[in-house]
Amino acid sequence: MTTPWPYFPVFLRLQGARVLLVGGGEIAARKLRLLRRAQPTIEVVARELNSEVAAAVAEGAALRIATDFESSQVQGCRLVVAATDDPQLNAAVAAAAQRAGVPVNVVDDPELSSFITPAIVDRAPLLLAISSAGAAPVMVRRLRERLEAQLPVAYGRVADWMQTQRQRVKQAAGQRARRIWEQFLDGSGAEQLLSGNVAGADVALSTLLAEEATPGEVYLVGAGPGDPELLTFRALRLMQQCDVVLYDALISPAILELVRRDAERVHVGKRRAKHTLPQEQINEELVRRARAGQRVLRLKGGDPFVFGRGGEEIERLAAAGIPFQVVPGITAASGCAAYAGIPLTHRDHAQACVFVTGHPQADGTLNLHWDMLTRRGQTVVIYMGLTALPQLCAELIAHGLPGEWPAAVVENGTRADQRVIVATLAELPQRVGRPAQAGPSLVIVGQVVGLRDRLNWFAGQPETLTPSPPTVVNGEKA
């Protein structure tokens, strides 16, 4: 679940609107400077005015309407700002504004405020607003300093010029307009403007508009097992430039939040026999949208080439002549095992690792290479094995592994609500309970599971039953 916002970020039009500013000292002067940039009608209530506020009143940039605050003064205002050093007066202003349904900011008092003013990086008309909801003002100042240093002052000039060309590009490019502007900003056009060469920028834009429409493309991107910080840089870049995303059921909301906000979102997830779209239809949808000129993000949990059917999808794209890119992701086996504190290989316990799908056949049977899976000195990772977990454990025991062999189920691996259930093969199905109650899960079988007690580092939700130590027979661990 994504973290809730304490405030909704918004830019508010104030030009010509009434704004009430209660206070006339230095605190009020700082707010007055910001408010004047938005060109409202500023009404000041204060017994005394410092030189800056008095000068603004004298110039007509603000109107002093009273010396003492009255609740009726907030009526008809678009915003109210309480900027005095009197806590009781500030509280009275906030209460009056709240009753009148007018947004109010009490300087340095988020509890009384219905809105707060962010730190601003000013490249007008480009404005960057930064806020921590009052939680970390020093961090906000640091971020502002970094952005001030990284963004050229001339960025405002670029934004102004782009505004003058919007209608031209819209008429000439239609649905390609957004891509034209992206190419302009990524190419020489923006650099020409930053250096003051408006004519050169016009030539660069004209060249882009004269080019034929670029074909669509598909980005097959592995999103990893759930933690957004496990995404690759390339994955994030493509997620930010797509026109549409087709995403699986196992994509966490936190990762989906990182996709371009104005991209169309299409859920095509498959989960325990609940298919939103059959695979063949997903393949055809990728082809259809790419042929229509869209940049299509196919976002898949884990790695698209590990039980993700990514190979089938790019086979269809290749046959249709559709350009595509593949971005590997951290597969569930490595991600979930690492976050569970279970190494997949270990010099003393596992010299090999086997990935296998535990999804039963249509008739409910499991046709796996049991003799291979029950060899010692290896780790077996079973994808999609929760539904058939009792049968899986029983078959592994029947084909030679002892009932005391260590095994684990990792549920919601790498996420904040990760849960790890460690038991023996004989006890694991009972410990896990009904699969319908579990989130996306992975089964890990092998002696490496016994290392979790010492190697667990991720603060998920532990639920552990330590397996009995392996029996030693003729000097070999059984």
Side-chain angles (χ1 to χ4, degrees):
M1 187 175 180
T2 53
T3 303
W5 289 346
Y7 296 92
F8 183 78
V10 64
F11 286 87
L12 189 64
R13 184 186 296 276
L14 293 182
Q15 187 174 15
R18 287 179 56 217
V19 173
L20 181 67
L21 175 63
V22 182
E26 177 58 32
I27 299 173
R30 293 199 302 266
K31 290 296 182 183
L32 183 62
R33 290 171 212 151
L34 292 175
L35 289 170
R36 290 182 65 176
R37 297 293 301 275
Q39 305 175 61
T41 298
I42 304 173
E43 299 177 354
V44 178
V45 174
R47 291 185 178 181
E48 296 181 2
L49 305 180
N50 76 356
S51 58
E52 184 175 349
V53 179
V57 171
E59 296 168 4
L63 176 66
R64 188 182 189 184
I65 63 171
T67 57
D68 294 306
F69 172 73
E70 297 179 5
S71 59
S72 60
Q73 293 162 349
V74 306
Q75 297 295 331
C77 290
R78 187 162 296 175
L79 287 183
V80 173
V81 178
T84 79
D85 56 5
D86 183 345
Q88 290 185 333
L89 177 55
N90 286 343
V93 174
Q98 297 282 10
R99 287 195 299 270
V102 179
V104 59
N105 172 251
V106 180
V107 179
D108 294 331
D109 195 337
E111 293 300 319
L112 291 179
S113 302
S114 60
F115 79 94
I116 56 177
T117 53
I120 297 171
V121 179
D122 183 3
R123 301 291 185 268
L126 180 67
L127 298 177
L128 278 68
I130 312 166
S131 172
S132 68
V138 175
M139 177 186 292
V140 169
R141 286 199 296 271
R142 286 286 184 268
L143 288 173
R144 178 187 173 186
E145 291 168 3
R146 293 180 184 180
L147 290 171
E148 288 278 10
Q150 291 177 11
L151 295 178
V153 175
Y155 261 36
R157 180 193 307 150
V158 176
D160 276 329
W161 188 85
M162 290 176 66
Q163 170 67 25
T164 66
Q165 303 298 313
R166 284 185 64 187
Q167 193 62 30
R168 171 192 174 192
V169 173
K170 183 177 180 181
Q171 290 177 348
Q175 293 184 349
R176 295 174 52 224
R178 186 171 66 186
R179 196 174 305 187
I180 292 291
W181 281 125
E182 289 173 347
Q183 292 173 316
F184 177 85
L185 289 172
D186 294 338
S188 64
E191 291 298 327
Q192 298 285 357
L193 287 175
L194 288 173
S195 64
N197 186 359
V198 177
D202 188 84
V203 170
L205 182 60
S206 298
T207 301
L208 291 172
L209 292 173
E211 293 176 353
E212 294 184 6
T214 55
E217 187 176 7
V218 175
Y219 313 137
L220 185 63
V221 173
D227 184 348
E229 294 190 6
L230 297 180
L231 287 166
T232 65
F233 287 128
R234 188 178 179 194
L236 186 59
R237 176 171 59 83
L238 296 179
M239 289 165 67
Q240 284 290 310
Q241 72 180 43
C242 68
D243 300 310
V244 59
V245 53
L246 277 64
Y247 65 97
D248 285 346
L250 297 182
I251 300 298
S252 68
I255 288 178
L256 201 58
E257 277 292 311
L258 298 175
V259 175
R260 182 183 192 142
R261 291 199 182 279
D262 57 350
E264 181 185 354
R265 285 160 166 75
V266 181
H267 178 236
V268 296
K270 300 183 288 293
R271 195 165 181 178
R272 284 207 196 119
K274 296 180 181 178
H275 292 194
T276 303
L277 278 181
Q279 184 62 51
E280 293 74 15
Q281 290 187 30
I282 295 174
N283 299 345
E284 295 307 316
E285 186 68 3
L286 295 174
V287 171
R288 183 186 71 80
R289 288 180 174 273
R291 281 178 173 166
Q294 290 186 310
R295 291 167 298 183
V296 186
L297 172 68
R298 179 67 176 103
L299 194 59
K300 306 172 81 69
D303 181 275
F305 282 4
V306 180
F307 303 122
R309 305 187 75 170
E312 298 175 36
E313 293 176 356
I314 64 171
E315 274 188 311
R316 179 66 184 96
L317 295 171
I322 303 296
F324 61 86
Q325 301 181 39
V326 179
V327 182
I330 294 179
T331 186
S334 57
C336 295
Y339 275 57
I342 302 173
L344 293 178
T345 62
H346 190 283
R347 182 172 58 179
D348 297 329
H349 303 290
Q351 294 75 48
C353 183
V354 179
F355 296 171
V356 62
T357 174
H359 190 66
Q361 302 292 321
D363 60 1
T365 60
L366 281 171
N367 295 324
L368 301 179
H369 298 286
W370 299 110
D371 291 342
M372 178 191 72
L373 298 180
T374 53
R375 294 172 184 168
R376 312 303 168 91
Q378 67 180 8
T379 304
V380 177
V381 181
I382 305 167
Y383 288 69
M384 296 168 282
L386 203 57
T387 301
L389 184 62
Q391 185 179 356
L392 277 167
C393 292
E395 291 286 356
L396 290 171
I397 294 172
H399 285 81
L401 288 180
E404 296 79 19
W405 201 248
V409 168
V410 183
E411 178 187 352
N412 296 322
T414 77
R415 306 183 189 187
D417 58 347
Q418 171 179 293
R419 187 170 69 118
V420 181
I421 303 172
V422 176
T424 63
L425 275 178
E427 297 165 336
L428 189 61
Q430 183 178 359
R431 287 297 310 277
V432 171
R434 293 191 303 166
Q437 298 175 339
S441 303
L442 198 74
V443 182
I444 304 176
V445 178
Q447 289 179 307
V448 291
V449 174
L451 299 173
R452 171 175 159 78
D453 284 344
R454 303 199 304 274
L455 306 182
N456 181 30
W457 61 274
F458 181 65
Q461 298 180 14
E463 182 176 333
T464 303
L465 176 65
T466 304
S468 303
T471 304
V472 176
V473 179
N474 295 327
E476 180 179 316
K477 293 178 181 177

